[in-house]
Amino acid sequence: MLLLSTAVLVGACATRGGDGELVTGDGYRHWVAASPGASASTTASAHLVLFIGGDGRAFVSRQRVARDPTSWRDPMLTLARLEDAGHGAYLGRPCYHGLAEDVGCDPRAWTSQRYSVDKSTSMVAAKRSVWSNRPTLLVAYSGGAALAMQMARRMPETTGLVTLAGNLDPAAWTRHHAYTPLEAAPQAPRLPGHLRQLHVLAGRDTNIPPALTRAIPTLPADSLCEVAALEHAGPWTSLWQQLRPQLSAWLAGETDTRTLCALLQS
């Protein structure tokens, strides 16, 4: 089991890409990248698609903590860049993207406290500082899904939530892998019934096996969609390209979640 008190910090700090901006949330700063052709502060279409990344590389080995957890191969950053100008953005997590040495950041922010409420609270504040109460579809990958669930509960402007191989029960996940339990990492909350949910489970996922998500009682049964050929790493770009054209109809209630799932499974 991992003991943070004895874990060793290794690795160089990541640097930010040149196409993003820094936004202040509530106690943390966040790196934000808008879809090409628009800055974060000028995206102005009716509906925002906001992408939340995974845990990155919090550890370089079981007992060696990274100095910066950022992964610049985050599939959510790739998907955000596929969106039409003004429609999508990527919201970085606290202490990621070259901010690991910010005030309030230490290795607990991307290890034992990675899903604590102060992280999602700051992300909500950062979102609203740029896009106010603009209607939002949250799309989150892996560990980012735990934070996106918390955000959706605090953001009435959230109209939909899509998670991809999401870690929606961190306690079950740590037990499954015999990891040290995380601090203040709640199971997925029950969200309002009007909020559309699609949780894509990767059938070949050994990191977050589908059975962990299926056991969560707060998730609507018809929101779960297992795609047998997917692994934890996806491929998510091809899946998103299948899914994206259907999302407007889904958010409007013109297409149900089971229809979307059948499309992804075909």
Side-chain angles (χ1 to χ4, degrees):
M1 295 181 66
L2 173 69
L3 298 177
L4 277 179
S5 60
T6 60
V8 179
L9 282 170
V10 299
C13 292
T15 57
R16 292 183 292 276
D19 58 349
E21 303 176 23
L22 290 180
V23 174
T24 300
D26 183 357
Y28 297 98
R29 294 193 300 167
H30 303 263
W31 185 78
V32 174
S35 51
S39 68
S41 58
T42 59
T43 51
S45 64
H47 215 104
L48 174 70
V49 184
L50 189 62
F51 295 88
I52 308 297
D55 292 345
R57 198 181 185 201
F59 295 90
V60 296
S61 69
R62 197 170 178 88
Q63 292 197 10
R64 302 180 75 188
V65 179
R67 290 189 181 275
D68 189 309
T70 307
S71 169
W72 292 102
R73 296 181 180 179
D74 189 331
M76 297 300 95
L77 185 55
T78 300
L79 299 190
R81 287 170 170 160
L82 292 176
E83 290 294 301
D84 292 337
H87 287 258
Y90 176 97
L91 175 59
R93 292 165 56 169
C95 310
Y96 281 62
H97 302 283
L99 302 176
E101 296 184 359
D102 264 15
V103 174
C105 293
D106 63 48
R108 292 173 297 178
W110 55 89
T111 55
S112 62
Q113 298 176 6
R114 67 183 83 174
Y115 306 138
S116 58
V117 171
D118 65 314
K119 309 304 187 299
S120 59
T121 298
S122 187
M123 294 175 78
V124 169
K127 181 267 178 187
R128 287 179 170 162
S129 74
V130 179
W131 296 285
S132 187
N133 292 326
R134 179 173 163 189
T136 301
L137 168 65
L138 294 172
V139 182
Y141 169 62
S142 191
L147 294 169
M149 291 289 291
Q150 296 178 38
M151 293 174 66
R153 187 173 61 174
R154 294 177 175 84
M155 288 170 43
E157 66 268 28
T158 305
T159 56
L161 171 67
V162 176
T163 68
L164 308 176
N167 187 359
L168 302 180
D169 190 343
W173 176 71
T174 56
R175 289 194 300 270
H176 175 78
H177 290 287
Y179 293 158
T180 300
L182 304 180
E183 299 174 30
Q187 189 185 72
R190 192 178 302 278
L191 297 178
H194 69 272
L195 194 154
R196 309 304 302 274
Q197 296 184 59
L198 172 63
H199 304 288
V200 180
L201 318 180
R204 297 181 180 178
D205 195 341
T206 57
N207 183 10
I208 304 172
L212 296 184
T213 306
R214 291 192 180 280
I216 300 173
T218 53
L219 298 178
D222 65 357
S223 70
L224 307 181
C225 178
E226 183 171 342
V227 181
L230 288 175
E231 299 181 358
H232 190 72
W236 298 115
T237 300
S238 57
L239 178 135
W240 184 251
Q241 290 171 331
Q242 281 185 289
L243 182 61
R244 184 64 179 93
Q246 313 301 321
L247 288 178
S248 293
W250 177 65
L251 290 171
E254 299 166 2
T255 299
D256 63 23
T257 306
R258 290 179 179 176
T259 300
L260 289 189
C261 184
L263 172 68
L264 301 179
Q265 293 172 331
S266 62

